[in-house]
Amino acid sequence: MSTASRYIVICTARNRLRLRLRRLREPRYLFGAIAAGAYFYFTVFARIRGGRMARARRQNATPLMAGATAAALQGSGPGLAAIAMFVLAGLAWVFPAGSGLLDFTPAETDLLMPAPITRRQLLLHRMIRSQIGLFFASVMPAILVPSASALSRVRLAMAIWLVLVTAKIYFTGVTLTRTRLASAHGGDRWAAWTPVAVLLGAIGIVASSMWRAFDGNTLDGPADLLKHLGRVATTGTAGIVLFPFVALVRPIFAPWPGPFLAALLPAAAVLASIIVWVLRSDEGFEEATAASAARRAAAGSRSVTAAPVARRVAWTLAPRGRAEGIFLWKNAIQMLRETTGGMLARYLVPLVLVSVSAGTALMAGNRARGTAMTLCSLAVGLAAFAVMLGPQVLRIDLRDDLRHLELMKTWPLDPSAVIRGEMLWSGIVLTGVAWLAIVCAMILSAAGFPRLSLVWRLSGSMAAMVIAPALVFAQLTVHNAAAVLFPAWVPLGHSRPRGLDAMGQRLILFGAVVLTLVFMMTPGVLAGAVLWIAFQRFMGAAVVIPAAIACLGIVAIEVIAASEALGPAFEMMDIAAVERAE
């Protein structure tokens, strides 16, 4: 079976490469591949060629962290990495995430499942099939990380590959064991509880060792903390418990050649033991693969039909009104119905934490100045992310609804109103997030920007709140214009095409968005600059507010004009021009 698996892997990789090369005949894929190749050359290979000059500059430059902290981090690296992997190994049992090794393709399900193959052979087949992705996942960090030589990059890639393979197979064992915990056979249940009991015992030993190591001891800075953690992970009873994790990550930190080769043997032994454990846990193979197939089918049906869970909403659509309101209502309800409790917590909890922390820091006064400065920086970063990258992330507009272009073209609506309505909800959400972050930053601005006067801080915050919707809606206009004019270049919905050419297409689109955004913002910026020159002497810092309002007004006119100009192009769109997800 291993020979057949290798044959399948080689043929699959070869055919996938042929497909990627064959579609380079189309200009959009060819230009994307050229752009991605240029990006990799200038960001990776050109930097590798200039490595000697960079190392010379680093030797002459001041180090970024204190020598004691850097030495402690380097010496405690295996112990710290082992503790992190130990925590992830424990969390794998808590969060019910399935293993990718059990996600059989439809061809494998139809051809391999009925074949005279044992469950262990199927598991070995999936392990072999996963090596292509793990290979690229280990090579890319080795290329990007600064290193002294090509041999060091090969060494790092091998070490990362060992960690990734072990982790992937370990998560498969966790999935199979969780399935066996619900088995009707008593012997299988007791056997499945064995690794759980071993892990709980290991957690208790490590926790008690850390408690004894830090209880009553005063830490003298970050270097002392790192040394204590590294010592706990490599000595005593906790060192015995964490030895498999330390052995697995030690090749990453071991120098070439002797220490690295010596560290490979224990790491390979850990990998072999994990493989044996997974192969001996194959009793839950059928149940685990069936559950994985059910999850994939449910996810596939949701992605195809895009049918969210129906819920009652308080906002009902009025029978009369502008056409833009239809899409505003539709996108808002779609977002609310697709947002589960977990997703809601993922987005709201950080905002609540920022707000509560800002209020706490404000009440604490000068004693919390350092915390307030940090929170102010975080709020500014959140506002910048919402304004500059939010339109790229939040895609509840034409980039999502072009999947249903054949239905949208049957509606008796003004196409310009359709384009404007599609952008409204995303713009409102991103503007609201940016405003909340700007308000938090304004409250903490005394700590974050101590050199600015109160008038400048208030005027700058209000001007940022005025200019935020201009930047958001200008970018949304550019993105939706690209979806109308170049629909084959824009990924639909949440799909993300893979490959070097797809990456190059995204780079080209990003560059086009930046250039078009600069072009759209230039008239407004010039108008604001004129107001600044004319009234700064009389109004002082407050002049930035009318300057921002003028910029917002000009951008609003441009957005409306662009939507009107895109209307005929949307009306003439060919359904066949929209490329479906792979």
Side-chain angles (χ1 to χ4, degrees):
M1 183 61 192
S2 61
T3 304
S5 299
R6 288 194 298 269
Y7 175 77
I8 293 174
V9 170
I10 294 173
C11 291
T12 302
R14 182 178 59 195
N15 293 334
R16 184 173 298 176
L17 179 61
R18 287 178 177 176
L19 177 63
R20 300 291 184 186
L21 295 177
R22 189 180 300 119
R23 71 181 189 180
L24 292 180
R25 300 172 182 173
E26 300 184 34
R28 57 193 176 100
Y29 290 119
L30 178 61
F31 294 153
I34 294 174
Y39 171 79
F40 272 109
Y41 175 78
F42 288 108
T43 58
V44 178
F45 299 107
R47 182 171 56 84
I48 293 175
R49 293 180 59 186
R52 294 181 179 178
M53 298 178 60
R55 287 194 299 273
R57 288 193 299 267
R58 285 196 298 268
Q59 291 175 358
N60 298 327
T62 303
L64 295 179
M65 68 172 62
T69 303
L73 182 60
Q74 183 177 3
S76 305
L80 297 176
I83 293 175
M85 292 199 64
F86 179 70
V87 173
L88 292 177
L91 293 177
W93 294 89
V94 178
F95 296 100
S99 172
L101 285 182
L102 300 177
D103 293 338
F104 285 83
T105 64
E108 291 173 335
T109 302
D110 295 338
L111 300 178
L112 295 183
M113 291 294 187
I117 303 173
T118 64
R119 295 173 297 194
R120 296 182 180 180
Q121 289 176 327
L122 286 174
L123 284 172
L124 286 174
H125 166 73
R126 290 297 300 169
M127 292 178 190
I128 296 174
R129 281 293 304 269
S130 65
Q131 296 309 305
I132 296 180
L134 295 176
F135 171 77
F136 284 103
S138 58
V139 167
M140 292 307 298
I143 294 177
L144 297 175
V145 171
S147 180
S149 63
L151 189 59
S152 298
R153 299 179 189 278
V154 174
R155 175 189 63 81
L156 182 60
M158 292 176 59
I160 295 176
W161 175 82
L162 272 174
V163 173
L164 293 179
V165 172
T166 305
K168 194 172 188 66
I169 298 176
Y170 171 79
F171 287 129
T172 304
V174 172
T175 303
L176 293 173
T177 304
R178 280 205 306 255
T179 304
R180 295 174 64 196
L181 291 176
S183 175
H185 192 270
D188 289 343
R189 286 201 307 272
W190 284 110
W193 277 107
T194 301
V196 179
V198 171
L199 181 62
L200 292 176
I203 292 174
I205 293 173
V206 174
S208 61
S209 299
M210 287 191 174
W211 177 266
R212 290 193 301 269
F214 290 98
D215 185 26
N217 294 330
T218 302
L219 298 177
D220 299 329
D224 197 16
L225 174 61
L226 295 176
K227 289 180 180 179
H228 272 72
L229 289 174
R231 190 180 302 114
V232 170
T234 54
T235 60
T237 309
I240 298 175
V241 173
L242 295 176
F243 173 77
F245 301 93
V246 175
L248 187 61
V249 300
R250 192 176 294 279
I252 299 178
F253 303 91
W256 177 268
F260 176 76
L261 296 177
L264 282 181
L265 295 179
V270 173
L271 174 59
S273 62
I274 295 296
I275 293 176
V276 171
W277 171 54
V278 171
L279 294 181
R280 292 180 64 86
S281 304
D282 62 336
E283 288 82 0
F285 177 79
E286 288 83 0
E287 293 82 359
T289 52
S292 177
R295 285 194 301 268
R296 291 185 62 191
S301 63
R302 286 196 299 270
S303 63
V304 173
T305 61
V309 179
R311 301 185 186 134
R312 293 181 59 86
V313 292
W315 184 14
T316 57
L317 182 64
R320 295 181 180 179
R322 294 185 60 86
E324 291 88 346
I326 299 175
F327 295 93
L328 173 64
W329 177 85
K330 190 270 297 180
N331 290 336
I333 299 304
Q334 175 184 343
M335 183 176 180
L336 293 175
R337 287 181 172 175
E338 289 183 345
T339 303
T340 60
M343 294 179 62
L344 193 63
R346 184 186 309 170
Y347 294 114
L348 289 184
V349 167
L351 297 178
V352 173
L353 289 177
V354 170
S355 303
V356 173
S357 301
T360 304
L362 183 65
M363 291 184 294
N366 293 332
R367 291 177 298 175
R369 184 168 297 274
T371 304
M373 183 182 298
T374 302
L375 292 174
C376 181
S377 302
L378 292 176
V380 172
L382 177 61
F385 178 84
V387 171
M388 301 307 300
L389 297 179
Q392 176 68 27
V393 177
L394 192 62
R395 305 169 62 87
I396 307 179
D397 48 27
L398 275 178
R399 290 169 289 177
D400 184 59
D401 286 344
L402 279 186
R403 296 177 298 171
H404 316 293
L405 180 61
E406 61 275 10
L407 175 63
M408 296 175 64
K409 292 180 74 67
T410 62
W411 293 344
L413 298 175
D414 181 13
S416 302
V418 173
I419 296 174
R420 287 191 296 269
E422 287 280 9
M423 298 187 297
L424 278 177
W425 178 248
S426 297
I428 291 173
V429 171
L430 293 174
T431 302
V433 173
W435 281 357
L436 177 60
I438 292 172
V439 169
C440 293
M442 181 175 61
I443 295 173
L444 300 169
S445 59
F449 305 95
R451 298 184 179 181
L452 296 179
S453 63
L454 177 61
V455 176
W456 268 107
R457 294 198 302 267
L458 294 178
S459 301
S461 300
M462 296 180 66
M465 295 183 68
V466 173
I467 208 69
L471 289 170
V472 169
F473 279 96
Q475 289 186 77
L476 289 174
T477 302
V478 176
H479 284 295
N480 285 269
V484 173
L485 300 176
F486 308 100
W489 285 69
V490 178
L492 300 184
H494 301 287
S495 63
R496 291 294 182 271
R498 295 172 294 179
L500 193 67
D501 45 9
M503 176 184 174
Q505 288 182 6
R506 288 192 287 269
L507 289 174
I508 293 174
L509 282 177
F510 178 76
V513 167
V514 172
L515 292 177
T516 311
L517 178 63
V518 171
F519 177 78
M520 291 185 65
M521 296 298 298
T522 298
V525 172
L526 292 178
V530 171
L531 289 177
W532 170 274
I533 296 173
F535 298 101
Q536 193 272 339
R537 182 181 305 176
F538 308 102
M539 299 180 62
V543 73
V544 297
I545 300 176
I549 294 175
C551 181
L552 174 62
I554 293 177
V555 172
I557 295 174
E558 292 177 342
V559 169
I560 295 174
S563 63
E564 291 291 338
L566 290 172
F570 179 79
E571 191 72 21
M572 297 171 58
M573 283 186 67
D574 186 4
I575 298 176
V578 179
E579 182 171 336
R580 307 298 175 178
E582 294 181 356

